[in-house]
Amino acid sequence: MNVNKIMAELERKHPGESEYLQAVREVLMTVEDAYNQHPEFEANRIAERIVEPDRTFTFKVVWVDDKGDVQVNTGYRVQFNSAIGPYKGGLRFHPSVNPSILKFLGFEQIFKNALTTLPMGGAKGGSDFNPKGKSDREVMRFCQAFMTELWRHIGPQTDVPAGDIGVGGREIGYLYGMYRKLAQENTGVLTGKGMTYGGSLIRPEATGFGAVYFLRQMLEKAGMDIKGQTIAISGFGNVAWGAATKATELGAKVVTISGPDGYIYDPAGLDAEKIAYMLELRASNNDVVEPYAAKFPGSQFFAGKKPWEVKVDIAMPCATQNELDGEDAKRLLANGVKVVAEVSNMGCRPEAIDAFIAAKIPYGPGKAVNAGGVATSGLEMTQNSQEQLDGRGGRRQAAPDHVVDPPRLRGVRHREGRLPQLHEGREHRGLYESRQVDGRAGSHIGRFFSMKKDELSSSSPFLSPPASINNIMQAAPLNWKEQYIFEKKHDTEKHVRY
């Protein structure tokens, strides 16, 4: 594989799509050495095939606002790769959504889903619709119009969307209600649903909780304890809320949250009341964090800045792509940061990652750190295929050992003088599953991401999940009260429309 040659061809085909090109380059450079040890990969052009999406749908979304005016947005669905299972990936509603961002997210999703060992492919979708300032009725009408086009391209064995930025329980309810009306079936084709209509226990918390469980294992392997550590978190949405909740429960002190308007520094740390207020801020639909400083004396608001200038032990970017750049990394390192756990998708720019690796501190890549969300979505898909109403299952561990312990990966070699890097382990996991390559030309891509055959059910892949599924979530008591409060607060049931 010649990375520069592949990238030159991609740049010619997809000019100006910087996020997508960045994501592809990062992955190819990471696996280049291992890939080139397998001539069968090159003979079947695996790299060239895997960096291009299977198909991309672009469509017009026409809806009517509360004033009676017609509005027009653009909708997308990028189905990237379904080698090991149906396409799986979220829907993002945000003004910044464009083909480049969705391609990068869909490409990342392939590796993230493969890393969970669950049979799910990679996809992403969304629209440039902005939910900020919209009424429930306007959001409902947009979601219904969006699903009127999307429904023909998705299905429980074809493509299973979920939520992302701008798409929470309310939006999933509207989308799912319209899908059921159009498809005339109740198959649970979207994940992230309310508990009363097919949702899974702790799905709202799963991404943030899973990230903290992953962080805790990173710390343990580095000989540290999460208790007493100070943490800087960016964002204030569902993922940041989950991460702040679990980190606080485990004894850490979360001292920052952030939004598009700036960041909050709270030296006393977040507690239950402050974390609950994060939900109020998000529910206000104003997309700002400044009111936090007025409500909680002792905290400070820094307009237009990012939280990476604060002296902390751990940094957890939880907001959006490329939010932590090289200069931010220098500030964190100068202030003595010990660990970086990337929770957002491609949250760190390449120069920031290089700086953390050069400083020899543990760095966890987003594909692994935030996989708790999609892993729990896999559980929701399983329960829906079994026609279960909810997922009140047993206890689950944060992540399989092969996710957090790269040296155990088969064939992964570490350069002299370097710590094992998790961002290498995530891609090598999928790559080395392809050792036993058979003669069928199409089989190479499938094996690139596949699980062992004996881990799969002989019938539907979702009727009998692999044993390793029990290792996805942390072995911790389920907080029923917390789940109940969340469901009541968002009243997700009322958003289902028929």
Side-chain angles (χ1 to χ4, degrees), residues 4-61:
N4 290 331
K5 182 178 178 181
I6 294 173
M7 291 308 304
E9 181 63 13
L10 275 183
E11 289 167 7
R12 184 188 68 80
K13 292 181 179 179
H14 308 277
E17 298 188 357
S18 57
E19 296 88 358
Y20 166 53
L21 296 171
Q22 176 189 339
V24 172
R25 181 178 289 277
E26 286 184 15
V27 170
L28 294 186
M29 290 184 67
T30 302
V31 303
E32 183 177 15
D33 291 343
Y35 181 99
N36 287 336
Q37 295 173 26
H38 292 265
E40 67 272 21
F41 291 169
E42 186 64 22
N44 288 277
R45 306 290 296 277
I46 299 300
E48 289 84 351
R49 290 159 66 182
I50 212 162
V51 300
E52 292 276 7
D54 289 347
R55 63 192 61 84
T56 302
F57 302 107
T58 304
F59 49 92
K60 168 176 66 178
V61 184

Side-chain angles (χ1 to χ4, degrees), residues 226-484:
I226 192 171
K227 189 173 183 179
Q229 305 286 354
T230 56
I231 301 179
I233 285 177
S234 62
F236 71 108
N238 181 67
V239 175
W241 164 77
T245 300
K246 184 51 64 176
T248 303
E249 285 181 7
L250 296 179
K253 182 193 288 188
V254 177
V255 295
T256 71
I257 60 173
S258 70
D261 56 332
Y263 79 89
I264 294 289
Y265 173 56
D266 188 343
L270 274 65
D271 55 25
E273 181 186 3
K274 295 171 181 177
I275 291 170
Y277 186 65
M278 290 173 66
L279 290 178
E280 293 185 29
L281 286 175
R282 176 57 63 188
S284 72
N285 219 15
N286 291 324
D287 210 17
V288 294
V289 296
E290 184 176 6
Y292 181 105
K295 184 172 179 63
F296 298 106
S299 60
Q300 296 175 272
F301 173 69
F302 295 86
K305 293 188 176 182
K306 295 184 286 187
W308 316 126
E309 61 187 15
V310 177
K311 181 177 176 60
V312 291
D313 300 314
I314 299 165
M316 297 184 75
C318 298
T320 190
Q321 69 273 0
N322 290 330
E323 57 177 301
L324 198 161
D325 60 25
E327 291 301 314
D328 297 324
K330 290 179 183 178
R331 293 189 191 96
L332 284 168
L333 292 168
N335 285 328
V337 70
K338 302 173 184 175
V339 176
V340 177
E342 183 184 58
V343 189
S344 52
N345 293 303
M346 205 169 73
C348 299
R349 290 196 57 83
E351 61 269 23
I353 297 171
D354 291 343
F356 298 140
I357 293 174
K360 297 186 178 180
I361 67 168
Y363 159 73
K367 293 187 189 71
V369 177
N370 70 27
V374 73
T376 307
S377 285
L379 300 180
E380 186 172 332
M381 293 166 69
T382 299
Q383 78 192 41
N384 289 162
S385 71
Q386 296 173 324
E387 299 185 354
Q388 295 177 356
L389 181 62
D390 58 50
R392 291 182 171 90
R395 300 176 180 180
R396 300 175 179 90
Q397 184 182 342
D401 286 336
H402 69 256
V403 176
V404 294
D405 196 359
R408 295 181 57 182
L409 286 170
R410 292 165 292 172
V412 175
R413 296 175 300 169
H414 301 288
R415 299 172 191 169
E416 185 175 354
R418 279 186 51 185
L419 292 176
Q421 291 300 324
L422 293 172
H423 80 291
E424 294 181 355
R426 71 189 177 199
E427 276 92 7
H428 283 295
R429 165 64 183 175
L431 182 61
Y432 276 89
E433 287 296 338
S434 62
R435 283 189 171 186
Q436 303 300 322
V437 180
D438 61 21
R440 298 189 301 275
S443 69
H444 299 283
I445 271 192
R447 290 185 178 275
F448 192 86
F449 294 112
S450 66
M451 298 182 296
K452 300 181 184 69
K453 288 183 178 179
D454 58 7
E455 291 181 334
L456 291 172
S457 166
S458 59
S459 57
S460 168
F462 291 106
L463 293 181
S464 179
S468 57
I469 198 172
N470 293 321
N471 295 325
I472 298 300
M473 295 300 290
Q474 168 68 22
L478 300 174
N479 192 330
W480 294 94
K481 181 179 179 182
E482 190 172 67
Q483 177 66 23
Y484 174 78

